[in-house]
Amino acid sequence: MVTSVLTRLVPDTTVEVHAVCLDIDDTLIDYDGSARSALAALVGHDGAWPDWQRMTDEHVARAISGEFDYDTMRRVRTKAFFAGRGEYLDDAEVFRREEHRLAEMERSLRVFDDVVPCLDWLRATGIKIAAVTNASGAHQRAKLAAAGLGGFFDHVAIAGELGVAKPDPQIFLTACAGLGVDPGTAVHVGDRLDVDAVGARNAGMHGVWLNRTGRWSDVPAGVAAIASLAELPELLVCDLSG
Ligand SMILES: [Mg+2]
């Protein structure tokens, strides 16, 4: 077993990689897919998804800033969402609908097909693995465990526990410190170009943008792009014969 891989992620240079960090939602777990089907089950159709996403982003930012905890955030968000559609719910009805939505999400939780083979490969190389996520602690740990992924990670850095969120360099540096590696020898992979890949690059790591659509035009300097986690081994391990 080795504890590093050599990579040419940096052009014309060969560097050692000692750790790989991965985002969770929409990188490992199809969060949008399960959230979207759970919302459709709640409102009876799929058309409300853009409004829901926008309101969720706004409320998650308020939770991360400390305005309220994650459970309160969900109830405030759900109440505001239905109020925006002309339904003014009392607290008991908000609670009932949110419980129903969460049960639907749990039922439809799906790990992307390329995740376990990739994590198995990373494990086999012996390099360290961390999850770096912008959500709350209990929520994300429970989700990793429910998805059967909890055992793969040497460290989990969670914005809700740290009080700092991606793309702030501090959360990336905290993850590297938790793994005991230098940021310059660590890679972070995530589905958000700005929050994950550029944020990691700005923290001194190697940023990799996982864009499952496979469609991209401008990828910023110092960032690599892949369309599947199946491409990660090839990206990380350079061909020394080439
Ligand atoms: Mg994500």
Side-chain angles (χ1 to χ4, degrees):
M1 181 180 284
V2 296
T3 55
S4 67
V5 295
L6 289 171
T7 182
R8 286 195 179 124
L9 268 171
V10 181
D12 305 322
T13 312
T14 302
V15 295
E16 285 193 17
V17 170
H18 295 156
V20 170
C21 302
L22 296 127
D23 167 55
I24 296 178
D25 289 331
D26 295 315
T27 295
L28 305 178
I29 291 172
D30 185 5
Y31 179 85
D32 275 4
S34 62
R36 189 167 184 151
S37 64
L39 182 68
L42 201 58
V43 301
H45 60 83
D46 191 43
W49 177 242
D51 280 349
W52 178 266
Q53 274 189 306
R54 178 180 51 78
M55 296 189 75
T56 298
D57 284 349
E58 290 169 7
H59 285 76
V60 166
R62 290 167 65 185
I64 288 170
S65 74
E67 185 175 335
F68 32 55
D69 64 31
Y70 206 83
D71 285 342
T72 305
M73 181 283 290
R74 286 202 297 248
R75 290 195 294 274
V76 172
R77 180 269 324 272
T78 300
K79 190 167 197 164
F81 170 78
F82 282 103
R85 304 169 68 79
E87 272 196 272
Y88 299 93
L89 309 179
D90 62 26
D91 289 348
E93 181 60 12
V94 168
F95 182 81
R96 191 194 70 75
R97 292 193 191 190
E98 190 54 25
E99 289 295 297
H100 176 53
R101 193 187 67 81
L102 291 174
E104 282 292 316
M105 277 194 72
E106 195 167 326
R107 194 182 57 75
S108 61
L109 187 73
R110 187 178 81 90
V111 176
F112 289 109
D113 292 342
D114 54 11
V115 170
V116 170
C118 178
L119 292 174
D120 278 340
W121 180 82
L122 289 170
R123 265 277 160 256
T125 67
I127 62 180
K128 301 279 182 64
I129 311 175
V132 183
T133 171
N134 269 1
S136 76
H139 174 67
Q140 284 300 71
R141 288 182 197 282
K143 195 157 54 179
L144 276 182
L149 300 178
F152 282 106
F153 296 95
D154 299 296
H155 183 76
V156 181
I158 297 178
E161 293 177 347
L162 298 171
V164 64
K166 298 176 290 185
D168 190 312
Q170 197 55 47
I171 190 167
F172 294 108
L173 299 178
T174 300
C176 290
L179 293 173
V181 301
D182 185 277
T185 67
V187 172
H188 174 78
V189 184
D191 68 291
R192 297 276 300 271
L193 174 61
D194 49 354
V195 168
D196 288 301
V198 173
R201 180 202 66 185
N202 291 346
M205 300 170 69
H206 305 287
V208 176
W209 180 28
L210 173 63
N211 179 344
R212 293 187 184 279
T213 70
R215 294 188 299 272
W216 54 73
S217 49
D218 296 321
V219 178
V223 167
I226 55 176
S228 162
L229 289 175
E231 297 173 24
L232 193 64
E234 195 178 345
L235 181 73
L236 290 184
V237 180
C238 67
D239 179 5
L240 292 173
S241 65

